[in-house]
Amino acid sequence: MDSTRRFHFCSSDGFKLTSVMTQWSFSLTAAFGFLVSLTKSSCTQDRALQFLISFNKKPEECKEMNPMKVCSVRLNDGHLMPMLGLGTSAPSKVPKSKVEEAVKTAIDVGYRHIDSAYLYQNEEEIGRAIWKKIADGTVKREDIFYTTKVWGTFFRPELVRTSLDTSLRKLGLSYVNLYLIHFPVALKPGEEFIPKDKDGEVIFDTVDLCATWEAMEKCKDLGLTKSIGVSNFNRRHLERILNKPGLKYKPVCNQVECHPYLNQRKLLEFCKSKDIILTAYAALGTDFRKEWVNKNCPVLLKDPVLNAIAAKHGRTPAQVALRFQLQRGLVALVKSFNEKRIWENYQVFDFQLTPEDMESLDGLNKNIRYFPDEFVNHPDYPFFDEN
Ligand code: NAP
């Protein structure tokens, strides 16, 4: 029997992640994982990953190995983006100190991609965590892929950089790796995240998204961000940017809600056709304690099909939900502030779902949105008053 298994996380248009493992390295995975969980030593998971992946590689190839390269996709501007990212948005009642601990743990475990936003109000804590991990020698700045987002109250072109400068100051960084338009909805500038009038109606702003995008392009040109992209955009929003006369940079990615109950198949196909990476948030079905979440939706991680597939592979439903996205060529974000689950969620590179598993998971689609999108599709929103 051939002792080598080759994992190609390879979709039709060439998002590629290949790792090579021997049959017996599967049992070593478990043994090594057990050791990692016992010792919890700094950066052990990095070494575990490198150890497993480098198993069938010649020494000179191994020299180039690092988790950033191994588990990353190439963006349309040439930069690399790790396929698994730590989410950092938590219900407002969760103390901010938790995110600092979570980011430090995640970096120790091997995560190199951290997702945040101006809106989350946690960038000081994340910055502290990153700097502590740089100071103790676990990582260098260039090992980390950090994302922030511009909120709708900063969509006027002159404010796009202001928001990024604020994030950078809080983080103590000179650049971010990815700067996203958080929502395709401009809101009246000011202190309030969701400005409302005396009748409780949201106050929108009349900013053309293309003007916001040009300001994003300037941030990239200034070196304040390596890449620029969008979030919560539908096909129409994306086309608006892609068809903009004089477009300098395409969005590298579109970060959207995506999980087996909302597989975003059509948007994924469209994004792939434009060389735009789709990034999945709420990949585990989010946290029902969050303010904006629709509490009437079924709980994804309790789904019987997902649980059956997980049991078959000796994995958890969360690991299967994440692996599902990776095998479809998506980048997946996952939030946990719990040490055990941060580690668990990272163990998704050493098993493979079968085509039948993938089909069953794809069949769970119910177009369920945990985050309602009425806001984006609000009839009053001026973006839709196009001539
Ligand atoms: P998520 O990652 O799908 O789920 C987070 C929830 O799952 C938390 O309650 C977490 O609890 C729990 N969890 C984590 N690992 C688990 C495991 N192995 N088993 C069981 N439960 C587990 O949801 P999300 O935070 O909404 O989305 C992820 C990230 O995407 C966010 O943090 C944020 O960075 C980003 N996001 C972006 C947007 C946007 O508009 N662009 C919107 C939403 C989210 P514990 O912490 O206790 O483990």
Side-chain angles (χ1 to χ4, degrees):
M1 186 170 63
D2 178 14
S3 69
T4 302
R5 272 192 201 173
R6 227 164 245 278
F7 290 167
H8 292 277
F9 301 9
C10 195
S11 60
S12 52
D13 64 348
F15 297 142
K16 221 182 264 178
L17 176 70
T18 307
S19 68
V20 182
M21 298 173 71
T22 62
Q23 288 277 7
W24 50 283
S25 73
F26 278 98
S27 43
L28 279 173
T29 314
F32 209 78
F34 181 64
L35 208 66
V36 168
S37 64
L38 280 181
T39 60
K40 292 197 180 102
S41 67
S42 136
C43 211
T44 311
Q45 190 52 36
D46 271 13
R47 277 182 260 117
L49 190 66
Q50 287 186 30
F51 169 81
L52 292 170
I53 288 166
S54 61
F55 216 80
N56 268 10
K57 295 268 180 189
K58 293 184 204 114
E60 60 271 25
E61 287 176 293
C62 297
K63 262 189 260 162
E64 295 203 356
M65 291 285 173
N66 69 46
M68 185 88 175
K69 280 184 186 160
V70 172
C71 312
S72 298
V73 283
R74 179 87 51 195
L75 301 171
N76 65 33
D77 65 359
H79 290 295
L80 288 170
M81 184 188 203
M83 291 186 81
L84 188 70
L86 181 79
T88 63
S89 91
S92 52
K93 284 185 185 139
V94 175
K96 298 286 177 209
S97 55
K98 296 268 183 199
V99 74
E100 187 172 339
E101 283 313 305
V103 170
K104 285 193 290 183
T105 304
I107 291 174
D108 282 343
V109 162
Y111 292 75
R112 294 294 177 262
H113 175 170
I114 297 152
D115 180 80
S116 187
Y118 177 89
L119 180 73
Y120 304 166
Q121 296 180 279
N122 59 11
E123 295 191 293
E124 265 175 44
E125 289 78 7
I126 294 176
R128 268 205 299 277
I130 292 173
W131 279 110
K132 281 182 184 163
K133 286 291 115 192
I134 291 174
D136 76 6
T138 307
V139 284
K140 297 198 271 298
R141 169 62 187 97
E142 55 269 32
D143 298 328
I144 299 288
F145 187 100
Y146 180 81
T147 302
T148 192
K149 313 182 189 93
V150 57
W151 185 242
T153 49
F154 289 87
F155 280 8
R156 293 188 183 176
E158 67 277 16
L159 296 181
V160 170
R161 181 175 169 183
T162 308
S163 173
L164 181 52
D165 282 339
T166 307
S167 291
L168 289 171
R169 200 171 49 249
K170 287 183 179 172
L171 291 156
L173 299 177
S174 58
Y175 68 91
V176 297
N177 298 80
L178 181 60
Y179 192 34
L180 302 179
I181 295 184
H182 202 145
F183 256 80
V185 178
L187 299 166
K188 184 185 147 233
E191 293 297 304
E192 287 172 88
F193 287 127
I194 312 278
K196 291 190 176 160
D197 64 17
K198 59 181 173 19
D199 301 320
E201 295 293 325
V202 176
I203 312 173
F204 296 109
D205 198 13
T206 50
V207 187
D208 187 332
L209 271 184
C210 289
T212 306
W213 186 254
E214 284 170 7
M216 301 283 289
E217 291 179 327
K218 285 195 183 115
C219 290
K220 179 172 160 77
D221 282 339
L222 288 167
L224 301 172
T225 180
K226 299 278 182 203
S227 301
I228 50 175
V230 297
S231 176
N232 297 299
F233 274 41
N234 60 28
R235 179 180 174 145
R236 199 162 147 214
H237 300 123
L238 283 168
E239 280 174 339
R240 172 106 171 161
I241 303 287
L242 294 172
N243 297 334
K244 186 186 92 63
L247 180 73
K248 192 164 183 189
Y249 304 117
K250 285 205 293 188
V252 295
C253 74
N254 184 19
Q255 187 187 117
V256 294
E257 177 175 343
C258 189
H259 41 73
Y261 287 165
L262 180 70
N263 67 18
Q264 300 273 21
R265 189 174 48 79
K266 281 191 183 160
L267 189 60
L268 176 61
E269 272 166 27
F270 177 72
C271 285
K272 283 185 176 182
S273 75
K274 302 291 177 193
D275 197 12
I276 294 170
I277 296 288
L278 206 65
T279 300
Y281 72 70
L284 303 187
T286 198
D287 182 340
F288 277 52
R289 294 170 303 163
K290 279 187 180 174
E291 291 77 3
W292 294 348
V293 168
N294 182 353
K295 316 285 189 292
N296 300 320
C297 296
V299 178
L300 175 71
L301 295 184
K302 289 193 177 153
D303 184 274
V305 173
L306 180 65
N307 276 269
I309 293 172
K312 188 179 80 175
H313 289 275
R315 297 284 167 159
T316 65
Q319 288 171 328
V320 171
L322 293 171
R323 179 73 202 186
F324 170 63
Q325 302 295 7
L326 302 181
Q327 278 187 222
R328 303 169 80 212
L330 277 85
V331 167
L333 300 177
V334 59
K335 176 263 170 186
S336 180
F337 288 179
N338 172 285
E339 196 177 345
K340 184 185 149 286
R341 289 190 286 277
I342 290 172
W343 187 86
E344 172 190 323
N345 296 338
Y346 197 70
Q347 310 311 304
V348 289
F349 298 102
D350 59 349
F351 76 107
Q352 194 172 31
L353 298 169
T354 64
E356 295 74 34
D357 297 333
M358 292 297 288
E359 208 175 305
S360 303
L361 292 166
D362 213 42
L364 294 178
N365 186 50
K366 304 181 203 319
N367 291 326
I368 284 176
R369 285 178 192 273
Y370 291 104
F371 293 86
D373 68 345
E374 293 99 59
F375 191 48
V376 178
N377 292 319
H378 198 292
D380 290 348
Y381 182 54
F383 176 71
F384 292 99
D385 296 336
E386 293 163 288
N387 316 319

